[in-house]
Amino acid sequence: MYSRVWKLTIGEIGMRLAFIFFLIVLVLMCGSMFEVFGKPPKTPKILFTSTRDGNREVYMMNPDGSEQVNLTQHRASDLGAVWSPTGDKILFVSDRQGTRVRDLYLMDADGSNVRRVFKKKITAWRGHATWSPDGKQFAYVVTDRTRPKTELYLGTFGEEDAELLPHCAFPAWSPDGSEIACHIGPQTSRLTFINVHTRETERPLPTKALRWQFEPSWSASGDKLAITGNRHPLPVILDRDLHDAWKDKQTIFIVKRDGTGLQQLVEEDGPDAFTPVLSPDGLEVVYTQEINGQFQIFKLEIDTGVRMQLTHLGRNTDGDWFDPAYTLPVSPQPELLTTTWGELKKEK
């Protein structure tokens, strides 16, 4: 009698263990699916870098500055984060391999599943990355710290080799995928467009309209860009006070793709403003400006000129805007993988 009861108990235990094992496998399978496809934000979000926790970390917030969340929470410096076209991934810069090495990393939209983009290490710094609209490629800048030199490269996710592009900095891939906006110097920085297919360059905005033109950001429609600009010369001169006075005239502009319609958005009074990012609808711009001795992120309504300070703690820079209303569906759709974001938006 006791033997029969014991055998039944063993059987029940076996069934329960099998069921538990099945549940574990199911959870792991679902987890791997989420790891591949990720979960993008359901509402508009802005990525930015903040030092409020003692070192540079990647944060996310709503466009009104609410719900500011630390995504990286790491002792290394994490910065320069940019959304993938579908919002399920984030590309950012970190020195997790050592304080003298900055490289590109990927993570999911909630800050999980962090991994390096490249397996090969280099002594120079990789940074200032931008995604292609189909999410398969990215452009980035390599800075050689041993000499004042920066180079622009075109990389493909999953591959170690990268192609050297014409010299440029702060790349921003156009929404239709046809070109990369950037700026080129050194005597004067010029807004430059690199044709992705031919590698030809174009500079539609003359220096007589704006002497210094850099840090471009596209609207989702691709018809205009926000840029940092300075109407005044910035030579390397002995009179440092004069140089700093000119630098403080650096501010934010908006311009059409063909170089026309240049409009100044932020007054020159006060500290210099920089790193503008257009909202996908092109109606607002976020940018960085110093206030009370710290860099903070502001948002400006282009039509009304109404300005809002979004951050208040620590040093805050590097904004990047994502809006699910201006992106491809996130669920796997093989027929969409070879179609660019810009082409799909035109069909809607």
Side-chain angles (χ1 to χ4, degrees):
M1 178 178 178
Y2 289 103
S3 176
R4 189 163 54 247
V5 172
W6 175 251
K7 288 180 179 179
L8 288 174
T9 303
I10 293 294
E12 290 175 355
I13 292 174
M15 292 177 63
R16 291 179 181 179
L17 288 174
F19 182 70
I20 292 172
F21 178 78
F22 171 77
L23 288 178
I24 292 174
V25 171
L26 183 62
V27 169
L28 289 175
M29 290 178 63
C30 290
S32 64
M33 289 176 63
F34 290 135
E35 178 178 306
V36 173
F37 303 121
K39 288 185 177 181
K42 296 180 180 180
T43 59
K45 297 288 183 181
I46 294 174
L47 293 173
F48 65 102
T49 302
S50 181
T51 62
R52 66 190 64 181
D53 289 326
N55 68 323
R56 280 183 282 198
E57 301 275 13
V58 175
Y59 277 72
M60 177 175 64
M61 64 178 167
N62 294 328
D64 62 0
S66 63
E67 298 183 17
Q68 299 188 12
V69 180
N70 185 342
L71 296 179
T72 48
Q73 300 178 1
H74 197 278
R75 64 181 180 275
S77 290
D78 301 318
L79 63 150
V82 287
W83 291 106
S84 68
T86 51
D88 57 332
K89 297 289 183 292
I90 296 171
L91 187 60
F92 69 102
V93 179
S94 181
D95 60 4
R96 299 182 181 210
Q97 297 297 313
T99 56
R100 295 184 177 276
V101 179
R102 286 186 181 177
D103 213 339
L104 296 174
Y105 287 75
L106 277 169
M107 64 180 171
D108 291 348
D110 61 359
S112 63
N113 193 25
V114 177
R115 62 273 194 199
R116 288 179 60 201
V117 173
F118 293 99
K119 294 181 180 179
K120 296 178 182 178
K121 296 181 181 180
I122 58 174
T123 56
W125 287 1
R126 296 185 178 107
H128 298 299
T130 179
W131 296 75
S132 64
D134 62 7
K136 297 179 180 179
Q137 292 183 298
F138 57 103
Y140 63 97
V141 171
V142 172
T143 303
D144 190 339
R145 299 181 64 211
T146 63
R147 51 199 175 109
K149 182 181 181 181
T150 60
E151 292 178 324
L152 181 64
Y153 283 85
L154 178 64
T156 301
F157 287 105
E159 298 181 7
E160 291 294 308
D161 295 331
E163 177 190 351
L164 180 64
L165 295 176
H167 173 68
C168 224
F170 271 91
W173 214 305
S174 67
D176 66 3
S178 65
E179 56 190 356
I180 296 172
C182 51
H183 71 246
I184 191 169
Q187 278 73 29
T188 56
S189 289
R190 294 283 304 277
L191 175 63
T192 302
F193 297 96
I194 300 175
N195 187 298
V196 173
H197 304 292
T198 65
R199 305 300 189 257
E200 294 179 351
T201 60
E202 177 188 358
R203 301 182 184 95
L205 184 58
T207 55
K208 64 181 181 181
L210 188 62
R211 187 176 182 91
W212 292 81
Q213 317 155 13
F214 43 106
E215 300 173 340
S217 169
W218 294 91
S219 65
S221 60
D223 61 337
K224 53 188 174 183
L225 303 95
I227 58 174
T228 302
N230 196 324
R231 298 185 185 277
H232 310 277
L234 282 173
V236 179
I237 55 178
L238 296 178
D239 190 341
R240 188 65 192 178
D241 291 338
L242 182 57
H243 182 275
D244 290 342
W246 280 335
K247 183 178 184 298
D248 280 342
K249 301 299 182 181
Q250 176 179 298
T251 189
I252 309 301
F253 294 81
I254 193 167
V255 65
K256 293 181 181 179
R257 163 59 186 85
D258 62 4
T260 64
L262 182 68
Q263 177 187 354
Q264 184 174 325
L265 300 181
V266 180
E267 295 296 326
E268 292 182 355
D269 295 340
D272 62 309
F274 55 97
T275 57
V277 176
L278 270 178
S279 61
D281 60 14
L283 300 179
E284 298 174 297
V285 60
V286 293
Y287 63 94
T288 302
Q289 192 170 31
E290 183 180 348
I291 182 171
N292 298 326
Q294 291 280 16
F295 290 130
Q296 302 296 345
I297 295 177
F298 294 84
K299 182 179 71 171
L300 179 75
E301 293 181 5
I302 294 175
D303 289 340
T304 66
V306 174
R307 189 174 84 149
M308 175 188 296
Q309 184 175 339
L310 301 182
T311 62
H312 298 82
L313 300 174
R315 181 180 188 269
N316 302 273
T317 56
D318 303 330
D320 191 57
W321 204 312
F322 172 77
D323 188 336
Y326 290 83
T327 188
L328 292 172
V330 175
S331 57
Q333 299 187 44
E335 70 275 13
L336 297 182
L337 294 181
T338 57
T339 308
T340 65
W341 177 23
E343 290 172 346
L344 284 178
K345 294 304 296 181
K346 290 176 183 178
E347 294 175 3
K348 292 185 177 182

